Amino acid sequence: MSQKNTQFGHASNRCHMCKQESLFLVIDLGMHPHSDFFPTEAQLYNAEITFPLRLMSCGRCGLLQIDYFVDPEILYQTDYLYQSSTTATGRAHYATMAESIVRRFSIPPGSLVVDIGSNVGVLLAGFKEVGMRVLGVDPAQNIAEKSIAGGIDTIVDFFGSALAKAITVSHGKAQVITATNVFAHLHEIDDSVLGMKELLADEGVIVIEAPHALPLIENVEYDTIYHQHISYLSVKPMRSYFESMGLELFDVEKNLIHGGSLRFFVGHPGRHELSSTVDSLINEEELAGLYSVEKLAQFADRVRGQKEALLSLVLSLKKQGKSIVALSAPAKGNTLLNYCHLDASFLNYATEKNPLKVGRYTPGVHLPIYPDEKIIEDVPDFCLLLAWNFADEIMKNMTTYREKGGRFIIPIPYPRIYGETNS
Ligand SMILES: [Zn+2]
């Protein structure tokens, strides 16, 4: 029995990409609530649903993935609060990305660019600026409305082959199809990829950006595991998957956003020159042990060790009477907070720049969320940096707090206090 249906989702031991029943357990992180559902005060009186969160690996194609799928309607259409434009680093990244794709593939002005999971439209704004016709697709109504208000034409729906056909009729074929930090979220991955194939012009390019599974394993970035992320991408399974779908992965670029990401370039077979980077990255992944049972078992041990170390650090600070708050409340922070059970007895509150989250509570441990400015007023002794991948930018913005003696705890790749000698 490969699939077990439950009330709010289903469990499966069948690989998301190669479709073999060949998954084995890497680490069980326990039961977790939906990491992007931030309850309001009234909702705290409701029962909070939690789901199993287990990282699995495919013994056949090597894809890391979870084996419990929360229904996408629950994950994306109820009160979704993630906005991709909230950090300056993120905005600059997307502007550069649009420009570099247009330049590299000499995309003529007026060509259609479709962004899947377009969120508030940051990436498409970059394409629009360089003269492209742009169209976003995103299932979250509240987020898509912002994008439309910002002048980016957006379809509120899940992307798949039926929608791709409709877009082809209404807008024509796309020269560029982008999917940033959404490909690993796709539930109906085959239908989505068939849709991309349908919509893509002959010489067009699909650009997929997603966190690389290698730094996840090497730097113990287990907090990037949550239910929206169904798979944790690496080059080897992606190449065989696209081949099985009648497309070709012809190049991969590495970049540093989100703790280490890959940019995959996919086209119709034979339409683009094959880069040797594809083979060399697969080689690098294999040498690093990404597909090795032993190496993955070591990763699981390191995750458990990291939890112990973070709890010991927090406990020792609490024993000294220190106050600690969580600075920023990203989805991934909730995996960490819930896995380590860091509730209000350890952390006074969390803060956020995203106004949609302020006044609500973090899922699971229910820390109240205040605006970032509260930290400047209160000057807690320590801020736990949950968005550690934006540590430099965040700490730069917190100069006043640092000048008043505030310090930072960085949890990943190993828990440590930053700023004891730097402040
Ligand atoms: Zn597989």
Side-chain angles (χ1 to χ4, degrees), residues 295-404:
K295 178 83 181 185
L296 293 172
Q298 283 170 22
F299 162 75
D301 284 339
R302 290 170 72 206
V303 171
R304 290 183 279 264
Q306 199 189 76
K307 173 180 178 173
E308 277 178 36
L310 180 60
L311 283 173
S312 324
L313 174 61
V314 166
L315 278 170
S316 78
L317 293 173
K318 293 308 283 182
K319 279 184 190 156
Q320 297 165 41
K322 304 294 187 193
S323 53
I324 313 172
V325 305
L327 171 53
S328 80
K332 63 176 172 173
N334 295 318
T335 295
L336 185 142
L337 293 176
N338 287 309
Y339 177 61
C340 298
H341 301 287
L342 288 172
D343 61 15
S345 48
F346 301 102
L347 306 174
N348 298 7
Y349 52 84
T351 67
E352 252 295 329
K353 201 151 60 168
N354 178 349
L356 298 177
K357 289 182 184 172
V358 171
R360 295 183 179 232
Y361 292 79
T362 66
V365 295
H366 294 171
L367 302 176
I369 303 173
Y370 294 97
D372 281 350
E373 291 72 31
K374 186 168 168 65
I375 289 175
I376 316 284
E377 289 161 30
D378 293 358
V379 198
D381 297 305
F382 290 92
C383 284
L384 174 63
L385 268 188
L386 295 175
W388 50 265
N389 48 320
F390 293 112
D392 290 343
E393 180 183 340
I394 292 171
M395 290 193 289
K396 212 164 56 194
N397 291 341
M398 298 294 288
T399 319
T400 315
Y401 168 71
R402 290 165 67 182
E403 283 166 4
K404 289 181 174 178

Side-chain angles (χ1 to χ4, degrees), residues 5-155:
N5 293 318
T6 66
Q7 196 181 355
F8 302 105
H10 68 271
S12 174
N13 64 350
R14 194 163 168 251
C15 175
H16 200 50
M17 284 186 181
C18 76
K19 313 295 186 266
Q20 301 299 303
E21 292 183 16
S22 48
L23 301 189
F24 62 89
L25 179 69
V26 177
I27 187 166
D28 188 340
L29 295 170
M31 299 294 285
H32 288 251
H34 175 2
S35 64
D36 262 319
F37 184 77
F38 290 75
T40 60
E41 188 160 5
Q43 285 165 335
L44 291 181
Y45 297 95
N46 296 341
E48 191 169 30
I49 310 158
T50 58
F51 313 98
L53 187 60
R54 312 196 313 158
L55 182 68
M56 316 294 287
S57 176
C58 174
R60 189 162 177 268
C61 75
L63 180 71
L64 284 168
Q65 54 201 289
I66 56 172
D67 68 345
Y68 184 86
F69 302 78
V70 181
D71 288 338
E73 290 73 19
I74 294 176
L75 285 180
Y76 300 112
Q77 290 187 322
T78 43
D79 215 10
Y80 189 59
L81 301 181
Y82 176 69
Q83 294 192 100
S84 58
S85 64
T86 44
T87 70
T89 315
R91 281 192 300 271
H93 172 80
Y94 289 121
T96 317
M97 179 173 175
E99 217 185 293
S100 84
I101 293 170
V102 167
R103 198 178 337 111
R104 172 170 173 183
F105 297 98
S106 313
I107 311 288
S111 301
L112 180 65
V113 177
V114 177
D115 188 26
I116 299 163
S118 50
N119 204 273
V120 293
V122 196
L123 176 59
L124 287 178
F127 278 107
K128 201 177 168 183
E129 202 146 291
V130 289
M132 302 296 144
R133 273 191 303 140
V134 300
L135 178 65
V137 180
D138 200 293
Q141 178 85 41
N142 60 335
I143 296 290
E145 275 167 9
K146 292 198 160 202
S147 168
I148 295 164
I152 305 292
D153 192 10
T154 306
I155 298 174

